[in-house]
Amino acid sequence: MTHYYFNIRRHDVLERDLEGAEFATLEEALEEASQAAREMLAEKVLANHVIDGSRFEITTEDGTVAGELAFKSVIRFT
């Protein structure tokens, strides 16, 4: 199991995930990030906030960026 951190990048600001979570694969971590992004976007839509260019930067314990997920990428149109 690898410990991944789901940091949020909003423009030039990085909000660090201090807890992280354990996953067997990066694909499992990306699926968790996708679900979290959907939930966060749903809250933004309900609050009538602008959907901006926020994204998850998924890192390992040593700070290496293992993957990225743009929040907009989880929205399906038609």
Side-chain angles (χ1 to χ4, degrees):
M1 298 283 266
T2 303
H3 202 88
Y4 292 99
Y5 296 87
F6 297 86
N7 303 311
I8 298 174
R9 171 76 64 184
R10 289 187 176 97
H11 306 288
D12 292 336
V13 177
L14 183 66
E15 181 181 321
R16 294 200 180 273
D17 172 8
L18 301 178
E19 293 182 30
E22 301 256 336
F23 295 94
T25 65
L26 176 58
E27 289 74 27
E28 287 181 11
L30 285 166
E31 183 56 40
E32 179 68 21
S34 294
Q35 182 61 35
R38 284 185 202 95
E39 292 172 6
M40 294 170 78
L41 287 175
E43 291 175 10
K44 283 185 171 253
V45 168
L46 289 172
N48 200 32
H49 291 157
V50 173
I51 306 301
D52 58 11
S54 297
R55 68 181 186 272
F56 279 118
E57 288 184 1
I58 302 166
T59 61
T60 57
E61 286 186 282
D62 67 2
T64 301
V65 176
E68 293 187 2
L69 178 82
F71 286 16
K72 290 180 182 180
S73 72
V74 302
I75 300 173
R76 293 179 54 197
F77 296 97
T78 61

